[in-house]
Amino acid sequence: MPYVRQTSHIDRVRDLIAGRIVNPGADTARLASSYRRSLDDYRLDPASTTGPRILTGAELRAIQQSEEDFLRSTGQCLPRLHAMVREAGYCVILANARGVTIDYVVDTDQRKDFKKAGLYPGSCWSEEEEGTCGIASVLLDHEAITVHKTDHFRAAFTGLTCSAAPIFSPHGDLIGVLDASALRSPDARDSQRLVKQLVRQGATLIEDGFFLKSYSHCCILLAHRNRHFVEVQPEMLLAIDEHGDIVAANRCARDVIGASTACRVPSPRCWTCAPRGCSMRARDAVCCPCAWPAAARGCTRACARRCARPRRVRAPCARPPSRKTWWPTRRRNWPNARASPTP
C-alpha cells in the first residue's frame, strides 16, 4: 500500500522538478534529474502502485551463473551487513550492473512482506522500469545515495527507504550495487545516515574481495595510512606481477596515486623505506614496511606489507639417507637397483 495518496505524490514530484520544495536536501538535484528522465524519457506514471518486474527462475539462474565470480567475491559481506541492520527491519540486496537483484539476505519471518514490496531475487530496479529508486540512482550517478520514502518516483515505493552504494571493478567499471532497504522507518531522512555509511563500507569490502579474486595470480601489497591497520584492515590494495610492476590497484589506492581508472596503473620509480629512507623498486619495497611514493597526491604516507600469492604446498618427504648409504659400495645392498653413478 502506498505511503502517501497518489495525488499528493504526483504534486510532490512536480514541485521537486520545479524547485518548489522547502528545505531541499543534499540529493535534491539528483532526484529532480531522475524525475525528469522518468517522466519525459521513460514515460512512467508516478501514481502507479504496481510492484517491480521479477524475472522467472530460469532467467535469474542464467544471470547468476554469468555473475558467478562477482557473487563468490562477496563472501560473508551480505550476512554481516544484515546482522548490523536486521533489528531495525532491513534487508540487504545485491544487484548487478543492470539493476537485477542477484542475491539478498532477509529474516525468514519478514520474507513475505519484503517480497510483496518487490524486494526479492530477480526484481528489476533500473530507472527505465521503476523510475527513481536507490539502485537506479547509483547505476546512473555512480555515487552512494539514500532514497527515502517519498523520494521514490513511483507511489508503490513511497513507504520504503533505500540506501545504496556502488561496487566497482579493479578497472573502475561499475559491476554492481549494494543496497539496504526497510519497509518501515522514521520520516526524517537524517535517520538513514548511519545505514548509508554501513552500506558504503560493505560495498568497499566486496570491491576488495573481487580485486583479490581477480588478481590471485599476483602478489598483493596491503597498505594503510596507519601502520597499525595494514594487516588487519588494509584500505589500499596493489597487484604486483612477477616483474615487480604494479598492474592494478583498488579504488582507494588509485585515488591516492592519482592514476586514471581507464589505463594501467604506473609503477612508481622509487619507494622510500620508512626506517632508513633508502631507495628501492616496488618489488623490493614489498618486503618491509614502507612509505607511499613521494609523487603521490598530497605526499600522503602509508605503510604496506606484502601478501604473497598462495603457492602449492608439497607434502613433506622422508629424510634422505646419508651419503654412505645413498652410494652403496655393493650393489647387493639395493635389490633391483640400477648401477649407481660415481659420487
Side-chain angles (χ1 to χ4, degrees):
M1 181 179 295
Y3 176 72
V4 297
R5 291 187 296 111
Q6 295 169 318
T7 54
S8 299
H9 183 61
I10 295 175
D11 293 340
R12 186 185 184 283
V13 170
R14 292 174 179 173
D15 290 342
L16 185 63
I17 294 176
R20 295 192 294 264
I21 296 295
V22 180
N23 297 326
D27 297 323
T28 301
R30 294 176 62 182
L31 296 175
S33 178
S34 180
Y35 285 175
R36 293 190 190 97
R37 291 191 299 267
S38 301
L39 283 173
D40 301 336
D41 298 342
Y42 310 132
R43 303 293 180 180
L44 299 178
D45 181 13
S48 175
T49 58
T50 58
R53 179 173 65 93
I54 298 181
L55 303 179
T56 63
E59 293 173 334
L60 176 60
R61 285 190 295 271
I63 294 177
Q64 289 175 331
Q65 290 177 359
S66 65
E67 303 283 355
E68 184 176 0
D69 291 340
F70 178 39
L71 287 170
R72 288 181 180 273
S73 64
T74 61
Q76 294 296 315
C77 291
L78 268 67
R80 289 179 180 176
L81 177 59
H82 181 252
M84 299 178 187
V85 297
R86 63 181 298 273
E87 293 186 2
Y90 286 82
C91 74
V92 176
I93 290 176
L94 181 68
N96 67 357
R98 295 185 178 181
V100 178
T101 303
I102 56 178
D103 195 7
Y104 88 137
V105 180
V106 64
D107 282 345
T108 305
D109 56 345
Q110 296 181 339
R111 185 170 299 175
K112 291 183 179 180
D113 295 334
F114 279 101
K115 184 176 182 180
K116 290 180 181 178
L119 303 174
Y120 195 74
S123 56
C124 303
W125 295 100
S126 65
E127 190 179 70
E128 298 178 1
E129 295 187 68
E130 304 303 332
T132 307
C133 60
I135 294 177
S137 297
V138 171
L139 291 176
L140 289 171
D141 301 331
H142 294 190
E143 294 182 7
I145 193 175
T146 294
V147 179
H148 189 59
K149 293 190 172 182
T150 54
D151 292 342
H152 290 85
F153 178 79
R154 293 179 55 187
F157 310 129
T158 52
L160 304 177
T161 181
C162 305
S163 296
I167 303 171
F168 296 98
S169 72
H171 304 290
D173 301 323
L174 184 71
I175 58 176
V177 178
L178 183 64
D179 175 275
S181 298
L183 303 178
R184 290 170 293 275
S185 62
D187 292 339
R189 295 183 82 253
D190 293 342
S191 63
Q192 305 304 308
R193 288 183 178 180
L194 180 58
V195 176
K196 180 180 177 181
Q197 183 62 27
L198 292 175
V199 173
R200 270 179 172 168
Q201 294 177 357
T204 301
L205 290 176
I206 295 176
E207 277 185 21
D208 292 344
F210 188 77
F211 182 92
L212 294 174
K213 184 174 181 61
S214 300
Y215 291 94
S216 58
H217 58 286
C218 296
C219 289
I220 304 298
L221 188 72
L222 313 177
H224 198 283
R225 294 177 179 88
N226 189 324
R227 64 186 180 90
H228 299 290
F229 294 95
V230 172
E231 296 181 354
V232 295
Q233 193 176 0
E235 60 180 358
M236 290 168 273
L237 304 176
L238 295 97
I240 303 176
D241 62 11
E242 65 274 12
H243 304 293
D245 296 325
I246 299 176
V247 296
N250 69 344
R251 184 161 36 138
C252 181
R254 292 195 302 268
D255 292 342
V256 171
I257 65 178
S260 172
T261 57
C263 63
R264 177 176 172 175
V265 179
S267 175
R269 289 289 181 184
C270 177
W271 293 66
T272 306
C273 185
R276 297 182 181 178
C278 59
S279 176
M280 58 180 65
R281 287 187 56 82
R283 58 173 164 264
D284 302 320
V286 297
C287 297
C288 64
C290 58
W292 205 248
R297 183 184 302 174
C299 295
T300 303
R301 293 181 62 84
C303 294
R305 286 191 183 275
R306 182 185 64 177
C307 178
R309 62 178 181 270
R311 297 181 178 180
R312 186 175 300 174
V313 180
R314 296 181 179 179
C317 57
R319 182 178 179 181
S322 63
R323 182 179 179 86
K324 183 177 181 181
T325 307
W326 188 258
W327 305 111
T329 56
R330 297 182 181 180
R331 188 175 178 181
R332 66 170 178 262
N333 294 337
W334 291 82
N336 302 324
R338 298 180 181 179
S340 302
T342 304

